[in-house]
Amino acid sequence: MTLDKDQHLRKLFYDPQFPDVDLTGKVMKKLYAEQKKKERFFVKYKVSLLVVAGMLLTVSSGFAAVKYGILKNEQGEVVYQVKPLKEAPPQPKYSEEDIKRIGMSRDLADELLPDGSAAIFYIVPHNPTRQTDTRFKPAVFTDASALRTKLAGKQVTIFDSLKENYKFQSASVFFKPVTDVNPPSPEEKAATVEKLRKQAEESNKDYAMMPMELSDELLHLRSTYKQGENQIAVTIVDYGVGKDIPTSYWDEKLNFEQEKIVVKGIEMLYTEWNEGGGRDIRWVHELPGGGHKYEYLIESNAKEISKEDLINIAESYLK
């Protein structure tokens, strides 16, 4: 599955690798169990609540926390919303065979694909209906200028440092596979399945793979900035142009509070995580004229990074 604007489950299953299957039922339970084993930096530290004089010169606030917030543009149109997971649209259900096949293709992709590449996988076992899985890995950049060159023309902002002493460390960048940009016809897809099936049979392996190109259309990037052991992460999601409202569905068990603030006329959601701590701020940037949308999310694990600090960093992206 490519990322669906209406099924943005990033807070429940945050991972730079976008899944290409729907997250539902037993799949969700299995993935959630795996995710709980991994520490996420935005829930590792207690929140530092600071009230800073002068902050309201640039920021206005409703002074009240909201459980699930929405963001609107200057025209009053909703450009982003958070809803409880129970309101998520129904998802397809997967059999145990599907889950096993999906897991095998994911493991093979992790093992075989280099950074910044993609492939179509055909798994022989657990595949009675002869399905294929498209897998891809992000391109990794350790130089901010090289990343800016790669993203030339995409009107996203990449800084060399944040707050002066947080230096760019690395970024993982996902681009759409060409099959997402130009989907194959049913006949082309059937031919690919048969080709891979024969390839697996002839090689006497339980899988076959076909390398494929990645387009230059951005899906998602995540940059990290570090000072010692502390870090700030900036995630940018490209929603493109469309009337669909980007929506996050968050697990009701997550203990968080959100506050809507306005920074230089832009509505933002500031979130504090009550279990383990952590804080983040997000907003949607719309390009003038065409309605192209980018979501920005800034998170921190540093005790020294306050709410005002996140707001100041967000302001730097608005200049």
Side-chain angles (χ1 to χ4, degrees), residues 105-159:
S105 66
R106 189 179 302 277
D107 291 344
L108 285 167
D110 287 342
E111 177 184 351
L112 300 176
L113 292 183
D115 291 341
S117 68
I120 299 174
F121 285 86
Y122 179 85
I123 304 300
V124 177
H126 315 298
N127 195 5
T129 57
R130 296 185 177 181
Q131 301 294 313
T132 58
D133 298 296
T134 300
R135 300 292 181 191
F136 53 105
K137 279 188 176 180
V140 178
F141 294 82
T142 57
D143 180 80
S145 61
L147 178 55
R148 282 192 291 268
T149 299
K150 179 64 177 179
L151 299 177
K154 298 200 181 300
Q155 299 194 50
V156 295
T157 302
I158 307 295
F159 288 119

Side-chain angles (χ1 to χ4, degrees), residues 41-171:
F41 74 82
F42 58 88
V43 295
K44 288 168 64 179
Y45 296 89
K46 292 184 178 180
V47 177
S48 175
L49 298 177
L50 300 177
V51 179
V52 183
M55 185 175 68
L56 296 181
L57 293 176
T58 57
V59 179
S60 63
S61 169
F63 299 99
V66 294
K67 184 64 175 177
Y68 298 103
I70 64 172
L71 297 176
K72 296 181 180 181
N73 59 18
E74 294 179 351
Q75 291 72 44
E77 301 165 330
V78 177
V79 293
Y80 179 84
Q81 58 190 350
V82 178
K83 293 184 177 182
L85 185 60
K86 64 184 178 182
E87 296 183 17
Q91 297 290 294
K93 293 184 179 181
Y94 290 90
S95 67
E96 286 293 334
E97 290 288 272
D98 289 329
I99 294 171
K100 291 176 181 178
R101 187 200 79 244
I102 290 165
M104 284 188 64
S105 66
R106 189 179 302 277
D107 291 344
L108 285 167
D110 287 342
E111 177 184 351
L112 300 176
L113 292 183
D115 291 341
S117 68
I120 299 174
F121 285 86
Y122 179 85
I123 304 300
V124 177
H126 315 298
N127 195 5
T129 57
R130 296 185 177 181
Q131 301 294 313
T132 58
D133 298 296
T134 300
R135 300 292 181 191
F136 53 105
K137 279 188 176 180
V140 178
F141 294 82
T142 57
D143 180 80
S145 61
L147 178 55
R148 282 192 291 268
T149 299
K150 179 64 177 179
L151 299 177
K154 298 200 181 300
Q155 299 194 50
V156 295
T157 302
I158 307 295
F159 288 119
D160 292 316
S161 62
L162 300 177
K163 282 181 57 55
E164 297 181 357
N165 50 1
Y166 280 76
K167 306 300 182 182
F168 180 89
Q169 185 77 12
S170 65

Side-chain angles (χ1 to χ4, degrees), residues 48 50 52 270 279 303-311:
S48 175
L50 300 177
V52 183
Y270 172 73
R279 63 203 65 82
K303 294 181 180 179
E304 67 181 44
I305 298 296
S306 66
K307 174 182 176 179
E308 186 195 36
D309 290 326
L310 288 181
I311 291 170

Side-chain angles (χ1 to χ4, degrees), residues 239-281:
Y239 289 118
V241 178
K243 296 182 179 180
D244 293 334
I245 299 173
T247 302
S248 293
Y249 296 98
W250 292 8
D251 189 348
E252 293 88 338
K253 295 178 182 178
L254 294 174
N255 188 358
F256 67 93
E257 292 181 344
Q258 287 191 323
E259 177 187 6
K260 183 186 292 188
I261 59 179
V262 181
V263 181
K264 292 188 175 180
I266 303 298
E267 289 191 356
M268 300 185 179
L269 285 177
Y270 172 73
T271 305
E272 292 178 351
W273 300 91
N274 298 324
E275 293 181 0
R279 63 203 65 82
D280 60 57
I281 190 169

